[in-house]
Amino acid sequence: MASKPEHIADSRLDAPAEWLTQTERGSVILLRVMTFISLRLGRPVGRLFLYLIALYFFAFAPTARRHSRTYLRRALGREPAARDRFLQILSFATTIHDRIYLINGRFDLFEICVEGESLVRGPLESGSGAFLMGAHMGSFEVLRAIGRRQPGLTVAMAMYEDNARKVNSMLAAINPRSAAEIIPLGRVDAMLQIREYLQRGAFVGMLGDRTLGDEPAQSVSFLGHPARFPAGALRAAAMLRRPVIFMIGLYRGGNRYRVVFAPLADFTNVEPPQREETIAAAVARYAALLEQYCRSDPYNWFNFYDFWRS
């Protein structure tokens, strides 16, 4: 058995990750009201309410505001002004609001620029499937627009069971007919479900920027400070010998989105002795790509907790 390279930190924390202990604000009822207003009166009217909601969270979420300031200071390279912090919250609220239209197929409302789409086309045409690695940054929902341009593209999101229930509740509130393909992680058959989707030529989407606090993680430099990134999703891709594509959907203001696909790792021909080293390199590349877009589009980062918790 190959020994684990020294630069892979198999670090664990006894306490759960901070984001797991935070109570989510908002409610399904509020989402239903916003859906009704937005679909009946249009996106411009819906955005008027959005500004009020963003102002409320800006004024009455001091913990999130404190962590937002820490992140923006590192991403911007200067002390963030109140405008910077408000724009981050507004971007977050906008991507949630725009889900209403994307889930209901209203792609005509948006200008969506796509880069690197050929990376998706290859595994789709071969029927081999692949992993899509995103983050809590921008909008993963704009992938629906790519699905419209790529017939046969199926994406199943792999997420932890509590999050899966929240996502299903959200989708039901926005559009009861919106079928969510979700693989609940934490179950004994999760890996089998992932394998089945891949064998059918589907893509498996994961968000790779949050740890649970008690799992193996790799410490890498992120925005100039060490941060822990989970390696579990990449380890699954290595075991199943599939390519991993970095995906991010950046909100650019107004009705504009920029979707980027970039190569992250290809485990197709990686043998077990090289697996851990290749996983470590992929985690480092993921963090580097994430940092690149945090600097170019800083208001798209939606981790409102102590991300650099030691």
Side-chain angles (χ1 to χ4, degrees):
M1 180 180 296
S3 61
K4 185 172 292 187
E6 291 183 358
H7 57 277
I8 298 182
D10 191 20
S11 57
R12 297 172 182 263
L13 291 177
D14 293 333
E18 182 179 341
W19 66 271
L20 284 171
T21 62
Q22 288 181 342
T23 302
E24 287 192 353
R25 292 171 177 252
S27 67
V28 171
I29 294 176
L30 177 61
L31 192 55
R32 290 185 189 276
V33 172
M34 282 297 298
T35 299
F36 177 83
I37 292 172
S38 299
L39 293 179
R40 290 296 181 93
L41 303 180
R43 188 170 181 266
V45 175
R47 283 182 62 78
L48 294 178
F49 289 91
L50 204 64
Y51 275 85
L52 296 176
I53 293 170
L55 282 170
Y56 170 82
F57 284 107
F58 180 77
F60 298 106
T63 301
R65 195 164 61 238
R66 182 175 70 253
H67 296 316
S68 169
R69 183 183 289 111
T70 299
Y71 156 73
L72 287 170
R73 185 184 300 121
R74 294 171 179 178
L76 296 170
R78 59 174 171 81
E79 189 63 31
R83 176 182 179 274
D84 296 308
R85 290 181 277 119
F86 178 74
L87 284 176
Q88 186 188 13
I89 294 174
L90 182 62
S91 295
F92 178 47
T94 297
T95 59
I96 295 176
H97 181 232
D98 286 346
R99 285 183 182 180
I100 294 172
Y101 302 103
L102 293 167
I103 289 172
N104 282 281
R106 293 299 310 275
F107 306 113
D108 57 297
L109 298 175
F110 303 99
E111 295 179 17
I112 303 176
C113 168
V114 184
E115 300 176 18
E117 192 170 356
S118 61
L119 291 171
V120 176
R121 196 175 301 120
L124 183 62
E125 292 174 351
S126 68
S128 60
F131 285 85
L132 289 175
M133 185 74 75
H136 292 84
M137 185 174 186
S139 171
F140 206 92
E141 205 65 54
V142 293
L143 189 61
R144 288 176 180 263
I146 311 303
R148 188 181 60 159
R149 290 156 50 131
Q150 298 288 344
L153 176 63
T154 299
V155 179
M157 287 298 298
M159 58 182 64
Y160 288 94
E161 197 163 0
D162 286 346
N163 288 344
R165 281 195 293 267
K166 293 172 186 175
V167 168
N168 279 326
S169 298
M170 180 202 72
L171 292 175
I174 294 175
N175 185 346
R177 297 181 302 277
S178 179
E181 304 247 19
I182 294 177
I183 303 171
L185 298 178
R187 295 184 180 179
V188 293
D189 63 339
M191 186 64 78
L192 290 176
Q193 289 188 53
I194 291 174
R195 186 192 298 272
E196 288 173 3
Y197 271 101
L198 293 170
Q199 288 175 341
R200 299 204 310 256
F203 286 69
V204 175
M206 294 183 172
L207 304 181
D209 57 336
R210 290 184 182 179
T211 70
L212 294 177
D214 59 351
E215 63 184 311
Q218 180 174 330
S219 181
V220 297
S221 177
F222 180 66
L223 293 174
H225 297 264
R228 298 171 69 251
F229 286 86
L234 290 165
R235 184 164 282 113
M239 291 174 61
L240 296 172
R241 304 173 78 94
R242 290 300 199 282
V244 185
I245 302 168
F246 178 86
M247 180 268 176
I248 198 163
L250 300 165
Y251 175 62
R252 308 303 295 274
N255 67 337
R256 294 174 293 116
Y257 282 87
R258 177 191 176 201
V259 179
V260 179
F261 296 99
L264 184 58
D266 189 349
F267 296 103
T268 306
N269 298 311
V270 175
E271 299 299 328
Q274 291 79 43
R275 187 175 292 167
E276 291 297 331
E277 186 174 355
T278 308
I279 292 170
V283 173
R285 174 162 169 75
Y286 174 82
L289 284 167
L290 203 56
E291 179 176 295
Q292 173 186 333
Y293 293 108
C294 282
R295 294 196 185 280
S296 66
D297 295 80
Y299 307 130
N300 276 258
W301 176 257
F302 305 143
N303 282 310
F304 296 98
Y305 68 97
D306 185 5
F307 189 81
W308 286 269
R309 179 186 181 193
S310 60

